[in-house]
PDB file of all heavy atoms in Angstrom:
ATOM      1  N   PRO F1465     -19.640  36.182  -3.602  1.00  0.00           N
ATOM      2  CA  PRO F1465     -21.022  35.826  -3.181  1.00  0.00           C
ATOM      3  C   PRO F1465     -21.234  34.385  -2.792  1.00  0.00           C
ATOM      4  O   PRO F1465     -22.069  34.055  -1.972  1.00  0.00           O
ATOM      5  CB  PRO F1465     -21.843  36.201  -4.433  1.00  0.00           C
ATOM      6  CG  PRO F1465     -21.038  37.244  -5.098  1.00  0.00           C
ATOM      7  CD  PRO F1465     -19.631  36.877  -4.864  1.00  0.00           C
ATOM      8  N   GLY F1466     -20.481  33.447  -3.419  1.00  0.00           N
ATOM      9  CA  GLY F1466     -20.698  32.022  -3.131  1.00  0.00           C
ATOM     10  C   GLY F1466     -20.433  31.614  -1.685  1.00  0.00           C
ATOM     11  O   GLY F1466     -20.965  30.654  -1.180  1.00  0.00           O
ATOM     12  N   MET F1467     -19.585  32.458  -0.970  1.00  0.00           N
ATOM     13  CA  MET F1467     -19.238  32.053   0.380  1.00  0.00           C
ATOM     14  C   MET F1467     -20.513  32.113   1.335  1.00  0.00           C
ATOM     15  O   MET F1467     -20.615  31.494   2.291  1.00  0.00           O
ATOM     16  CB  MET F1467     -18.229  32.972   0.939  1.00  0.00           C
ATOM     17  CG  MET F1467     -17.601  32.573   2.204  1.00  0.00           C
ATOM     18  SD  MET F1467     -16.640  31.061   2.115  1.00  0.00           S
ATOM     19  CE  MET F1467     -15.135  31.595   1.252  1.00  0.00           C
ATOM     20  N   ALA F1468     -21.498  32.909   0.888  1.00  0.00           N
ATOM     21  CA  ALA F1468     -22.724  33.014   1.724  1.00  0.00           C
ATOM     22  C   ALA F1468     -23.445  31.700   1.825  1.00  0.00           C
ATOM     23  O   ALA F1468     -24.272  31.547   2.751  1.00  0.00           O
ATOM     24  CB  ALA F1468     -23.634  34.105   1.127  1.00  0.00           C
ATOM     25  N   ILE F1469     -23.209  30.766   0.932  1.00  0.00           N
ATOM     26  CA  ILE F1469     -23.915  29.480   1.029  1.00  0.00           C
ATOM     27  C   ILE F1469     -23.664  28.749   2.381  1.00  0.00           C
ATOM     28  O   ILE F1469     -24.506  28.167   2.980  1.00  0.00           O
ATOM     29  CB  ILE F1469     -23.412  28.537  -0.139  1.00  0.00           C
ATOM     30  CG1 ILE F1469     -23.877  29.191  -1.479  1.00  0.00           C
ATOM     31  CG2 ILE F1469     -23.952  27.172  -0.031  1.00  0.00           C
ATOM     32  CD1 ILE F1469     -23.385  28.411  -2.650  1.00  0.00           C
ATOM     33  N   PHE F1470     -22.440  28.945   2.934  1.00  0.00           N
ATOM     34  CA  PHE F1470     -22.111  28.241   4.190  1.00  0.00           C
ATOM     35  C   PHE F1470     -22.854  28.876   5.354  1.00  0.00           C
ATOM     36  O   PHE F1470     -22.786  28.282   6.440  1.00  0.00           O
ATOM     37  CB  PHE F1470     -20.589  28.322   4.381  1.00  0.00           C
ATOM     38  CG  PHE F1470     -19.779  27.518   3.392  1.00  0.00           C
ATOM     39  CD1 PHE F1470     -19.201  28.197   2.289  1.00  0.00           C
ATOM     40  CD2 PHE F1470     -19.618  26.195   3.473  1.00  0.00           C
ATOM     41  CE1 PHE F1470     -18.458  27.522   1.364  1.00  0.00           C
ATOM     42  CE2 PHE F1470     -18.940  25.442   2.531  1.00  0.00           C
ATOM     43  CZ  PHE F1470     -18.348  26.141   1.518  1.00  0.00           C
ATOM     44  N   GLY F1471     -23.448  30.043   5.182  1.00  0.00           N
ATOM     45  CA  GLY F1471     -24.208  30.668   6.231  1.00  0.00           C
ATOM     46  C   GLY F1471     -25.697  30.331   6.203  1.00  0.00           C
ATOM     47  O   GLY F1471     -26.459  30.716   7.128  1.00  0.00           O
ATOM     48  N   ILE F1472     -26.146  29.604   5.184  1.00  0.00           N
ATOM     49  CA  ILE F1472     -27.558  29.358   4.997  1.00  0.00           C
ATOM     50  C   ILE F1472     -28.088  28.475   6.181  1.00  0.00           C
ATOM     51  O   ILE F1472     -29.158  28.677   6.675  1.00  0.00           O
ATOM     52  CB  ILE F1472     -27.857  28.774   3.627  1.00  0.00           C
ATOM     53  CG1 ILE F1472     -27.584  29.853   2.583  1.00  0.00           C
ATOM     54  CG2 ILE F1472     -29.329  28.241   3.577  1.00  0.00           C
ATOM     55  CD1 ILE F1472     -27.809  29.302   1.148  1.00  0.00           C
ATOM     56  N   PRO F1473     -27.372  27.373   6.572  1.00  0.00           N
ATOM     57  CA  PRO F1473     -27.872  26.603   7.706  1.00  0.00           C
ATOM     58  C   PRO F1473     -28.081  27.451   8.961  1.00  0.00           C
ATOM     59  O   PRO F1473     -29.087  27.156   9.657  1.00  0.00           O
ATOM     60  CB  PRO F1473     -26.720  25.545   7.913  1.00  0.00           C
ATOM     61  CG  PRO F1473     -26.113  25.411   6.593  1.00  0.00           C
ATOM     62  CD  PRO F1473     -26.126  26.790   5.981  1.00  0.00           C
ATOM     63  N   HIS F1474     -27.246  28.368   9.250  1.00  0.00           N
ATOM     64  CA  HIS F1474     -27.494  29.229  10.424  1.00  0.00           C
ATOM     65  C   HIS F1474     -28.718  30.064  10.208  1.00  0.00           C
ATOM     66  O   HIS F1474     -29.474  30.281  11.161  1.00  0.00           O
ATOM     67  CB  HIS F1474     -26.254  30.087  10.673  1.00  0.00           C
ATOM     68  CG  HIS F1474     -26.410  30.984  11.859  1.00  0.00           C
ATOM     69  ND1 HIS F1474     -26.927  32.300  11.753  1.00  0.00           N
ATOM     70  CD2 HIS F1474     -26.140  30.821  13.161  1.00  0.00           C
ATOM     71  CE1 HIS F1474     -26.943  32.852  12.919  1.00  0.00           C
ATOM     72  NE2 HIS F1474     -26.443  31.984  13.816  1.00  0.00           N
ATOM     73  N   LEU F1475     -28.938  30.529   8.996  1.00  0.00           N
ATOM     74  CA  LEU F1475     -30.180  31.310   8.757  1.00  0.00           C
ATOM     75  C   LEU F1475     -31.427  30.471   8.936  1.00  0.00           C
ATOM     76  O   LEU F1475     -32.424  31.000   9.415  1.00  0.00           O
ATOM     77  CB  LEU F1475     -30.093  31.834   7.262  1.00  0.00           C
ATOM     78  CG  LEU F1475     -31.305  32.577   6.758  1.00  0.00           C
ATOM     79  CD1 LEU F1475     -31.488  33.908   7.503  1.00  0.00           C
ATOM     80  CD2 LEU F1475     -31.201  32.810   5.230  1.00  0.00           C
TER      81      LEU F1475
END
Side-chain angles (χ1 to χ4, degrees):
M1467 192 66 74
I1469 294 175
F1470 294 100
I1472 294 178
H1474 180 268
L1475 175 67

